[in-house]
Amino acid sequence: MNYEITGHTGLTALLGSPVGHSISPQMHNEAFRQLGLDYVYLAFDVTPQHLKDAFAGLKAIGIKGFNLTMPLKTAILPLLDELTPAARLAEAVNTVFLRDGKYIGHTTDGVGYMRSVEYAGYHIPGRKMTLLGAGGAATAICVQAALDGVAAIDVFKRNNGSFAKADAFFRKLADETGCTVRLFDIGDTTQLRKSLSESVLLTNATNVGMAPDTDKSPLPDISLLHPGLVVSDIIYNPRKTLLMRQAKEAGCPAFNGLYMLLFQGAESFRCWTGQEMPVELIREKYFNS
Ligand code: NAP
């Protein structure tokens, strides 16, 4: 398909620091090309110190929308006109889109995760899940799962200096969504065993097992897994984490974070263009594991 930059080409972008490693420019530009959409997606190295000026400049030239990565996901919050419910609850933004002259902040990590679970063949609304980690990705997943009607979410994190703040966050999320969200110490193996025995899905949203520490797992004991539990690791480097190998040994189906990455991009694309990303084409080209 013919695809050229024209005098009408709409700008979309990734802002963050660093951004050079990101697959997003290839993914979005290929999707624009496939659908014949007159947009381009570029990556800009922007630090928090320069975010205000960068956003003012991008607004002045009428940017159609953009993604934000580390370390800008919270720094952008006070600069936006509005937030979607997911971004407001998660207190973080990774996607900004333009609607009726307003720049609206959204978070697509949770939507991407929930779509990846469906794509893998599992339906969890109305059921219970166990979530390991309480950082940026875990928070976005927990918010979207609660908004999508997951009945209960047991979250486990280290009992360190950020525990009390995380606990207050999840209590507020439970109050606002009606989902039963509870936070536990990840060192409490008895509670972890109980939570997993009641759950249909275990999600690892910690860094544990990510390259180069591929010999580590967030699960202290493989006997915590039970047949019928689906194990999902949002890490995608390596493609097969130690947790996924433990799941296989215990007879549990497992999948990695590649499709979360694909579908969070697809949700940003939908916000900017109003069209569905051709995910099968993009998956084949960039996400074959
Ligand atoms: P983050 O905000 O830094 O959060 C990291 C979480 O991991 C925290 O809850 C932290 O615990 C926990 N953690 C770190 N080391 C631990 C350890 N040794 N034992 C137990 N818990 C530990 O990072 P993030 O942005 O949420 O990313 C987390 C992971 O998700 C990364 O591997 C990242 O690559 C992956 N990710 C994947 C996608 C995707 O599209 N597939 C998207 C985003 C992120 P504390 O709270 O106790 O500090």
Side-chain angles (χ1 to χ4, degrees):
M1 192 173 294
N2 195 20
Y3 181 66
E4 323 182 89
I5 304 288
T6 70
H8 302 285
T9 302
L11 176 64
T12 61
L14 170 66
L15 313 186
S17 188
V19 287
H21 64 286
S22 173
I23 194 180
S24 296
Q26 286 134 292
M27 171 165 61
H28 288 293
N29 286 314
E30 178 65 14
F32 294 146
R33 195 180 71 78
Q34 289 290 344
L35 296 184
L37 297 172
D38 195 4
Y39 287 87
V40 68
Y41 184 103
L42 300 174
F44 297 108
D45 200 303
V46 176
T47 59
Q49 182 195 356
H50 292 116
L51 179 61
K52 198 171 170 198
D53 289 347
F55 185 36
L58 291 169
K59 275 205 290 193
I61 59 171
I63 192 164
K64 306 293 183 203
F66 53 95
N67 287 134
L68 294 133
T69 187
M70 297 304 289
L72 305 179
K73 290 182 175 187
T74 52
I76 192 73
L77 288 169
L79 306 177
L80 295 167
D81 298 315
E82 281 176 21
L83 298 175
T84 61
R88 184 183 61 76
L89 288 167
E91 299 168 10
V93 162
N94 78 338
T95 300
V96 174
F97 59 94
L98 187 58
R99 232 18 126 257
D100 303 325
K102 290 180 173 170
Y103 283 97
I104 299 170
H106 184 34
T107 176
T108 66
D109 280 336
V111 178
Y113 179 73
M114 293 300 285
R115 275 192 74 184
S116 79
V117 175
E118 290 279 337
Y119 189 79
Y122 308 104
H123 187 71
I124 57 164
R127 320 287 291 275
K128 175 168 181 166
M129 67 185 281
T130 295
L131 178 62
L132 306 182
T139 300
I141 289 170
C142 195
V143 163
Q144 196 61 46
L147 289 174
D148 286 358
V150 169
I153 308 167
D154 283 357
V155 185
F156 289 79
K157 82 173 241 51
R158 291 179 294 191
N159 193 353
N160 53 17
S162 56
F163 194 90
K165 191 171 171 217
D167 193 44
F169 175 88
F170 290 116
R171 282 175 193 273
K172 184 162 162 258
L173 179 63
D175 278 352
E176 295 205 21
T177 60
C179 177
T180 304
V181 188
R182 301 180 305 168
L183 182 67
F184 299 104
D185 178 353
I186 201 166
D188 183 348
T189 313
T190 307
Q191 179 59 48
L192 184 56
R193 186 179 298 279
K194 182 170 187 304
S195 296
L196 286 173
S197 72
E198 296 163 354
S199 294
V200 292
L201 177 69
L202 164 64
T203 306
N204 176 37
T206 73
N207 301 322
V208 183
M210 190 170 71
D213 294 322
T214 55
D215 59 342
K216 295 197 168 62
S217 164
L219 198 73
D221 179 355
I222 190 173
S223 76
L224 294 170
L225 301 175
H226 60 86
L229 181 72
V230 176
V231 176
S232 149
D233 202 327
I234 71 164
I235 290 171
Y236 50 87
N237 179 21
R239 297 285 194 260
K240 201 161 263 180
T241 60
L242 177 55
L243 175 64
M244 291 169 68
R245 297 201 302 276
Q246 289 174 317
K248 191 174 177 204
E249 206 181 316
C252 303
F255 59 96
N256 66 23
L258 267 189
Y259 294 139
M260 172 177 170
L261 187 65
L262 173 64
F263 285 116
Q264 62 78 27
E267 173 69 0
S268 298
F269 188 91
R270 194 187 60 76
C271 291
W272 301 328
T273 67
Q275 298 202 33
E276 290 299 323
M277 179 183 269
V279 285
E280 289 305 329
L281 285 166
I282 300 298
R283 183 183 68 77
E284 269 170 36
K285 189 151 185 180
Y286 300 109
F287 291 83
N288 260 335
S289 43

